[in-house]
Amino acid sequence: LYTIKFEGTMKIPKLTSHVSCINKKYLNGPQRSNVPSDKVNFSTPFPEYSPVSYTATSVLKGPVWADKENTQGIKFNTLDGKINRVSYYGTYKVIDGLPINPVGRTGICGRGLLGKWGPNHAADPLVTRWKRNPNNEIEKDKVSGKPLLEFVCIKRKDTGEWALPGGMVDAGDTVSLTLKKEFGEEALNSIEMDKATRDKVRKNLDQLFQHGVELYKGYVDDPRNTDNAWMETVAVNFHDGDSNFSNFKLHAGDDAGAASWVVVDKGIKLYASHKKFVEAVADANCAHW
């Protein structure tokens, strides 16, 4: 009776302001310099602006996923070797060798906890299914009368917030590969499965992830963003209409502290911009919100 029906990319508005990354203490770091709401855009004069400089020690140690501190030689706004430095937001400015956040000031310069100067690309899979009763009938909300959707949610270890089981796109990897890999690692803990179980899960993942619907591609209002490094993502919905995962128990792994199917409802609190993605799926399918 109910099917995931929308096609193409959902028209989630492009973000033009910050919420999570201004006027707050940086995650496990310093307090951000104050940025008045009318001074966020870099095109607005703000001569007294003095952002705090901060790059986490874990980034400065030079892990394989991080750039060097000196930006000399980095090719911004293009594919730099295997590293994609193109922003979904468009061409961003580079001033004195430093890329400038296209949405605006954040109160912190440097990279914070992010490895790359400029855009740091992620992929977020939104896996959904209809909530069903023991008779396999789709349940409806008692107030709205609309069918109930569920989605896979993981609890982040770094912030304790619930989020989609996504992750960073490694250099040379495709978004589609990252979507499948991160879901398997974070929501199913595929890394610790025995080979037979892992192969079975991989087969079901291949089937489920064949038919995704792109929800959003762009800048993310992420608490790790700085004036010179920011998160961008591609969010894709994969609907488990045939209940391929009914026989697999969600098991948090990698960066996740917990994993669960959660009923879609406007009262949910999610990390960064993830709530907007969930709302788009519910709205497009006349599901309860």
Side-chain angles (χ1 to χ4, degrees), residues 3-4 6 125-131 148-153 164 183 208-209 215 236-245 261-262 264 277-278 281-282 285:
T3 59
I4 293 294
F6 59 79
L126 173 50
V127 175
T128 57
R129 70 181 183 186
W130 295 112
K131 181 175 174 59
L148 295 172
L149 270 176
E150 295 181 312
F151 71 104
V152 175
C153 206
L164 300 182
F183 182 81
L208 175 63
F209 279 59
L215 302 171
V236 182
N237 177 222
F238 300 96
H239 186 66
D240 186 18
D242 298 325
S243 299
N244 286 318
F245 283 96
W261 284 99
V262 176
V264 171
F277 309 152
V278 177
V281 173
N285 292 278

Side-chain angles (χ1 to χ4, degrees), residues 123-125 127 152 154 164-167 176-193 197-198 200-206 208-209 238 245 248-256 259:
D124 291 307
V127 175
V152 175
I154 59 101
L164 300 182
S176 58
L177 175 63
T178 302
L179 287 163
K180 186 164 54 177
K181 180 177 69 174
E182 290 295 332
F183 182 81
E185 291 179 358
E186 294 201 347
L188 301 174
N189 198 18
S190 59
I191 294 176
E192 296 186 11
M193 291 179 178
T197 303
R198 186 165 56 248
K200 189 175 182 180
V201 168
R202 185 179 291 116
K203 183 178 179 180
N204 279 339
L205 276 177
D206 288 342
L208 175 63
F209 279 59
F238 300 96
F245 283 96
F248 291 100
K249 182 179 180 180
L250 295 179
H251 185 190
D254 199 23
D255 296 327

Side-chain angles (χ1 to χ4, degrees), residues 212-228:
V213 178
E214 187 175 293
L215 302 171
Y216 179 77
K217 179 186 287 185
Y219 181 92
V220 179
D221 182 21
D222 191 286
R224 294 169 293 181
N225 291 347
T226 73
D227 288 2
N228 311 117

Side-chain angles (χ1 to χ4, degrees), residues 2 130-142 145-150 263 288:
Y2 297 102
W130 295 112
K131 181 175 174 59
R132 298 178 183 273
N133 62 23
N135 295 322
N136 203 35
E137 300 167 329
I138 296 175
E139 295 186 22
K140 296 182 179 180
D141 182 75
K142 294 180 180 179
K146 293 183 177 181
L148 295 172
L149 270 176
E150 295 181 312
V263 175
H288 171 70

